[in-house]
Amino acid sequence: MNTLAIVVSLALLMYFAYRGVTVLLLAPIMGAVAVLLSGDGALLLPIYTSTFMTALSGYVLQFLPIFLLGSLFGQLMADSGAANTLARWIVRTVGERRAIVSVVLACALLTYGGVSLFVVAFALYPVAVSLFKAAEVPKRLIPGTIALGAFTFTMTALPGTPSIQNAIPIPYFGTNAFAAPGLGLIAALCMFTGGLWWLQRRAAQAKAAGEGYGQHEDEAGEAAQADGHAAQGRWSVMPVPLAVLPLLLVVGINAVLTYVVFPQADFAFIGERFPDVDPQKVLGLWSLIVALALACLTLVVMRLGRWANLKETVNKGVFGFMLPLFNTASEVGYGAIIASLAGFAIIRDAVLNVSPGNPLISEAIAMNILAGITGSSSGGLSIALQTLGADYLRMANEAGISPELLHRVAVMAAGGMDTLPHCGAIITLLAICKLNHRQSYRDIATVTILFPLPSLALVILLGTLFGSF
């Protein structure tokens, strides 16, 4: 009965998430459903206050700076004109006729530099519209193109990416954002080339069938929207070297702190004041925090006197982090409730025993399942690591597997089945592009699921044979 309660709760969570119910409300309610169905109704309030809220607040405490600084950096990049400058520079460099390649590269550059996925989608959509019209590529391919550049290899595979997904395993495994860089690059290349091949093939098929960009009545207001952005300074002209500098700072400072500064520092003094802090488990987070903070400061100073409304930009960026953070934290709280139920032991043992000799396989399956159920890579990853992270680290140590490899597999696995139809990011992307699942989801699923999963399998195979590199 306890296991059935968990299954019912998860099924309802997935159903209502697909129907658009906010996870802020959904997570505690579905947690309560699981508790009631398992026969622990008398403990409902203690479980809520001591289990759900403790896990939620612990996640917020740990990752708030990353969410806040990431959101602020993305807004500063957008409103300074840097994001648009880089997008248009890539278009000029690659060529307007290569619309799909240009949009993928522009999305990849911005997301790898630290700009949030949603900011990238909003910023690149008008650019993609003009490019796809000029190249006579169907509009229905725009969501898949943006998803390939922003939701796949730059989010989970490229070493050093400041995505929240790449930051989540750091305190659990004591790793950093550059974990297993060689394997990450191989996986990124597979995702990029596979996804690009698919989209180009689909465009060629459409051209052969005589299908062009298409007529879309709902685009009537887009010219006015672009003019509004221009009035806010979002499309202002900015020299390319200045536009790319903040992105280089995010990755560069992170790398210098990770490989040069922190390894040579003596953190013994920290134990005197903070005996519960293990520097080795948070150095990766500290590197990201410093890199994002300095990049934000550089952007502000670099554009002083040229901001349309700096206060509004900062406020919008800061306020923008709250919903993503608390959505994910609520999912972590839900995971903590599920893990506290007696029936979870059966599920945990079943998952951990999928491949006892190679925890990478079990980890990949667990991350994919939870990311798929929650419709969130960060949410599924957080739940899995909250409930099973210590087990996987122990199993990896026993099997002689590097924590860095464990980190990279976890992040890539969370970016596999997370883009099922009920995924909030996919629903938002389709809304931005004014398209629906029937028109575009096939291509989104292909580039975000079909190619990332074999890439993940390749990383597991290479990591098992040759270790982390």
Side-chain angles (χ1 to χ4, degrees):
M1 183 63 185
N2 281 315
T3 304
L4 180 61
I6 294 173
V7 172
V8 170
S9 172
L10 289 172
L12 290 173
L13 176 70
M14 185 163 61
Y15 172 78
F16 285 110
Y18 179 71
R19 303 294 296 179
V21 179
T22 174
V23 75
L24 282 173
L25 184 63
L26 195 57
I29 290 177
M30 290 303 105
V33 168
V35 171
L36 292 172
L37 292 179
S38 66
D40 291 331
L43 300 175
L44 181 59
L45 290 178
I47 287 176
Y48 176 76
T49 54
S50 298
T51 302
F52 180 86
M53 289 306 301
T54 297
L56 182 149
S57 59
Y59 187 88
V60 171
L61 182 67
Q62 200 161 53
F63 292 106
L64 185 148
I66 303 296
F67 276 90
L68 188 154
L69 291 170
S71 176
L72 176 59
F73 179 71
Q75 197 64 49
L76 290 170
M77 283 290 293
D79 288 359
S80 68
N84 187 65
T85 294
L86 290 174
R88 296 188 181 278
W89 170 68
I90 290 175
V91 169
R92 291 194 303 269
T93 303
V94 176
E96 292 190 2
R97 303 304 298 179
R98 298 184 178 90
I100 293 175
V101 178
S102 296
V103 173
V104 170
L105 291 178
C107 290
L109 177 63
L110 292 174
T111 50
Y112 184 63
V115 182
S116 72
L117 310 180
F118 297 109
V119 170
V120 169
F122 276 109
L124 266 295
Y125 170 64
V127 177
V129 167
S130 62
L131 287 175
F132 277 51
K133 279 183 178 178
E136 283 298 307
V137 176
K139 180 184 179 181
R140 58 185 171 81
L141 295 180
I142 289 180
T145 303
I146 293 176
L148 174 60
F151 294 6
T152 59
F153 59 96
T154 56
M155 184 180 80
T156 65
L158 282 182
T161 177
S163 69
I164 187 61
Q165 290 81 2
N166 198 36
I168 288 172
I170 291 174
Y172 295 97
F173 299 148
T175 50
N176 58 63
F178 294 88
L183 291 170
L185 287 172
I186 292 172
L189 182 61
C190 292
M191 293 184 212
F192 173 74
T193 55
L196 199 57
W197 169 80
W198 171 263
L199 292 171
Q200 297 279 32
R201 176 174 173 270
R202 293 278 283 166
Q205 289 174 339
K207 184 176 182 180
E211 180 185 359
Y213 179 79
Q215 298 295 323
H216 301 275
E217 297 179 0
D218 52 7
E219 290 183 0
E222 285 178 4
Q225 183 183 18
D227 291 341
H229 286 166
Q232 296 174 19
R234 187 167 298 179
W235 303 144
S236 59
V237 177
M238 189 176 187
V240 173
L242 289 182
V244 79
L245 177 61
L247 306 186
L248 294 177
L249 287 176
V250 171
V251 179
I253 293 174
N254 187 9
V256 170
L257 291 176
T258 298
Y259 290 112
V260 180
V261 177
F262 286 156
Q264 297 179 4
D266 181 6
F267 292 103
F269 68 95
I270 293 179
E272 300 175 3
R273 293 276 309 272
F274 303 97
D276 296 330
V277 174
D278 182 357
Q280 297 307 313
K281 290 190 175 183
V282 292
L283 290 181
L285 291 178
W286 290 353
S287 299
L288 271 176
I289 290 170
V290 173
L292 285 168
L294 290 179
C296 288
L297 181 61
T298 299
L299 260 173
V300 170
V301 173
M302 196 167 61
R303 302 296 287 171
L304 278 180
R306 299 183 183 182
W307 291 98
N309 190 329
L310 179 58
K311 182 180 73 173
E312 181 182 338
T313 293
V314 171
N315 286 344
K316 189 174 181 180
V318 170
F319 294 153
F321 90 95
M322 295 182 184
L323 185 59
L325 172 62
F326 281 95
N327 274 342
T328 308
S330 291
E331 290 172 337
V332 172
Y334 169 80
I337 290 179
I338 296 301
S340 71
L341 301 178
F344 179 74
I346 299 174
I347 298 175
R348 182 194 62 211
D349 292 341
V351 171
L352 293 177
N353 289 324
V354 168
S355 178
N358 190 346
L360 297 176
I361 297 174
S362 169
E363 182 186 46
I365 293 173
M367 303 296 167
N368 266 293
I369 290 175
L370 287 170
I373 289 171
T374 60
S376 166
S377 55
S378 59
L381 181 61
S382 298
I383 291 174
L385 291 180
Q386 178 84 11
T387 55
L388 299 171
D391 291 313
Y392 283 128
L393 185 59
R394 173 184 53 78
M395 293 170 67
N397 289 332
E398 292 173 354
I401 294 174
S402 166
E404 284 72 25
L405 180 55
L406 208 61
H407 174 128
R408 188 54 54 210
V409 168
V411 178
M412 287 185 58
M417 300 297 289
D418 63 313
T419 49
L420 292 177
H422 64 287
C423 170
I426 297 305
I427 294 171
T428 301
L429 175 61
L430 289 171
I432 292 170
C433 297
K434 301 179 179 64
L435 293 166
N436 56 44
H437 283 76
R438 181 179 59 82
Q439 293 168 305
S440 299
Y441 184 71
R442 176 186 176 187
D443 300 301
I444 294 173
T446 300
V447 301
T448 61
I449 299 175
L450 185 62
F451 291 108
L453 288 180
S455 301
L456 170 63
L458 178 61
V459 166
I460 293 175
L461 176 62
L462 293 176
T464 301
L465 294 175
F466 305 108
S468 178
F469 60 89

